[in-house]
Amino acid sequence: MPENSYSPGALDRSATFYVAGHRGLVGSAIWRRLEDEGFSSLVGRTSSELDLKDRKAVFEFFAAEKPRYVALAAAKVGGILANNTYPVDFLSENLRIQTNVMDAALEHGVERLLFLGSSCIYPKLAPQPLKEEYLLTGHLEPTNDAYAIAKIAGILQVQAVRRQYGLPWISAMPTNLYGPGDNFSPTGSHVLPALIRRYEEARLSGAESVTNWGTGSPLREFLHVDDMAEACLYLLENYDCPEQVNVGVGTDVTIKELAQTVAEAVGYTGSIEWDTTKPDGTPRKLMDVSKLTALGWKASIGLDEGIRSTVEWFREHQDDFRK
Ligand SMILES: NC(=O)c1ccc[n+]([C@@H]2O[C@H](COP(=O)([O-])OP(=O)(O)OC[C@H]3O[C@@H](n4cnc5c(N)ncnc54)[C@H](OP(=O)(O)O)[C@@H]3O)[C@@H](O)[C@H]2O)c1
C-alpha cells in the first residue's frame, strides 16, 4: 500500500448511505453494488424530488435523513457537443450541486464522502498515461473547461474539508464509463453508447454502411460501470488521502477497434466507413492506474463481455433507455 494511505476500515452496512444521482449511470451502479454488499439503509432522490441546486432543500434533506455516508454521483454530464454549447450550465449547475451536497454533509457530520471527478479534467497536453499528480499542471481542453473547473473545485473542496475538519472524505477520477443505464441520446451520449445505438439501428434497418466521424485512430480507455461501482466502495473502505485516485483499466483501444467490437456484439454485418474530414479529438486518453492497483483493486469486466451485456441491456430497455 502506498505511503500515507491507511485504510479507514469497513463501512457499517446498517448505516444510512445517501447515493446522490442514484438513477444515473454511476449512481445506479453504486446503488446495485451497495445492495449486493448488504447495505440496508440506502437513500436516493431523483432530481424532481430533490433538486440539488436548491440549497435550502438539500439542507432540509440532510437534516431529515442524517446519512452517515455519501456517494456524490449527481452532476450535469454530457459529451463534447453539450459541454461546448452550454458551458454556463455545466459550470454553474455542477458547482451548486456539489457545494450544496458537501456543505450540508459537513454540517450534518457525514463521516465518509466520495466525490467523482473525471479523466477529462486533466490538462489537455498532459503526458500519457495520466498520473494523478498531473492535475492542475497545465491548460484545460477548451471545449469542456467550464465542467472541468467545477469538478476541480469539487476535488479541492474535499481536500479543504480534510484539512480543516480532518474528515476522511475522498475523490475518485473515473475514465470513460459505460454499461446499463447509460445515456444513448444522439446529442448527449458518449462514444460507446452512441456506437451501440447507431449499429443496432443500422442492423434493424438493414443499412449497408454506417459512417463514423474521424479516422478511427484515437485511443480511448473504457471501464464497465459495475467495476467502477466496486472500485468506489473499495476506495471508501481502503483509501484515506487527499489526492484523487484514477479509476480505469490501464489499457486502451482505437475507436476503430471499438466500432468493430460493437458491430460484432450487435450483429451488424454492413460496412464501417470513416468520414476523415471530421475531427478526431485528442489522439490518446489513458489513465495511469498504478496507484489503484497498488491499493489492491483492479477491473475484472473485459471490454468484449461488457459491451455484449450492455447491448443486451439496451435491447431489453427499448422503452425506457435515455434517448
Ligand atoms: N459517464 C462517464 O463516462 C463518466 C466518466 C467520468 C466521470 N463521470 C462522473 O460520474 C458522475 C456521474 O456521472 P453519470 O455518467 O452517472 O451521469 P448521469 O448518468 O447523467 O447521472 C447523473 C445523475 O445526476 C442527477 N442530477 C443531475 N442534476 C441534478 C440536480 N440538479 N439535482 C439532483 N440530481 C441531479 C441525475 O438525476 P435524475 O436522473 O433524477 O435527473 C442523474 O441521475 C459525474 O460526476 C461524472 O462527472 C462519469
Side-chain angles (χ1 to χ4, degrees):
M1 193 167 285
E3 208 180 315
N4 242 354
S5 69
Y6 80 87
S7 163
L11 301 181
D12 175 358
R13 269 45 183 172
S14 64
T16 302
F17 197 133
Y18 169 44
V19 182
H22 73 298
R23 277 202 317 191
L25 173 65
V26 179
S28 60
I30 293 177
W31 186 282
R32 289 193 297 274
R33 180 78 202 169
L34 294 174
E35 275 183 335
D36 289 350
E37 287 280 334
F39 283 82
S40 57
S41 182
L42 299 181
V43 182
R45 293 287 184 278
T46 65
S47 56
S48 42
E49 290 164 347
L50 173 64
D51 181 356
L52 295 172
K53 301 193 297 302
D54 180 342
R55 190 168 175 84
K56 186 164 166 285
V58 173
F59 275 72
E60 284 168 0
F61 166 77
F62 271 81
E65 296 293 341
K66 300 186 177 50
R68 187 160 159 202
Y69 312 130
V70 172
L72 180 34
K76 183 173 176 63
V77 177
I80 292 185
L81 185 65
N83 266 280
N84 204 19
T85 317
Y86 308 108
V88 176
D89 300 354
F90 280 87
L91 180 72
S92 172
E93 289 190 28
N94 282 316
L95 280 173
R96 280 180 284 160
I97 289 170
Q98 69 204 34
T99 308
N100 288 343
V101 170
M102 284 198 262
D103 286 353
L106 185 60
E107 174 151 315
H108 290 281
V110 166
E111 278 173 33
R112 287 191 224 169
L113 178 145
L114 173 73
F115 176 74
L116 296 175
S118 170
S119 58
C120 66
I121 75 178
Y122 282 115
K124 179 180 165 70
L125 299 176
Q128 305 282 329
L130 295 161
K131 290 182 191 293
E132 284 87 354
E133 69 219 45
Y134 297 159
L135 190 66
L136 285 170
T137 57
H139 291 289
L140 298 166
E141 160 61 43
T143 51
N144 70 355
D145 55 0
Y147 176 77
I149 289 286
K151 287 278 170 190
I152 291 169
I155 290 171
L156 288 210
Q157 187 165 355
V158 165
Q159 292 172 349
V161 166
R162 293 180 63 94
R163 208 159 71 219
Q164 198 173 331
Y165 295 93
L167 292 170
W169 291 11
I170 56 170
S171 299
M173 209 72 138
T175 187
N176 302 302
L177 304 170
Y178 70 98
D182 211 335
N183 182 347
F184 291 87
S185 118
T187 50
S189 63
H190 293 118
V191 59
L192 200 155
L195 287 173
I196 290 181
R197 183 169 178 178
R198 196 175 306 152
Y199 287 119
E200 176 69 343
E201 288 175 354
R203 183 185 69 84
L204 291 171
S205 69
E208 284 173 9
S209 75
V210 171
T211 304
N212 303 308
W213 273 33
T215 62
S217 63
L219 286 151
R220 294 288 182 274
E221 177 187 17
F222 298 94
L223 177 73
H224 193 281
V225 74
D226 288 347
D227 270 339
M228 177 65 205
E230 186 183 279
C232 288
L233 182 56
Y234 189 85
L235 286 171
L236 277 165
E237 297 192 312
N238 294 282
Y239 181 72
D240 182 17
C241 279
E243 191 180 61
Q244 80 285 354
V245 182
N246 290 344
V247 185
V249 290
T251 55
D252 49 12
V253 292
T254 64
I255 296 297
K256 223 172 221 171
E257 288 163 339
L258 180 72
Q260 192 59 46
T261 308
V262 170
E264 279 163 22
V266 162
Y268 167 73
T269 51
S271 75
I272 299 175
E273 309 290 333
W274 297 90
D275 180 353
T276 54
T277 63
K278 295 288 195 300
D280 261 346
T282 315
R284 188 173 203 196
K285 226 170 65 180
L286 177 65
M287 294 282 223
D288 182 318
V289 291
S290 49
K291 182 168 166 173
L292 184 57
T293 311
L295 282 165
W297 186 91
K298 69 178 186 13
S300 62
I301 303 172
L303 189 58
D304 289 6
E305 173 197 351
I307 289 176
R308 272 198 305 275
S309 61
T310 306
V311 169
E312 269 169 41
W313 184 92
F314 178 67
R315 286 182 177 152
E316 284 162 11
H317 290 80
Q318 282 300 298
D319 295 333
D320 57 357
F321 74 83
R322 276 191 278 167
K323 302 171 175 84

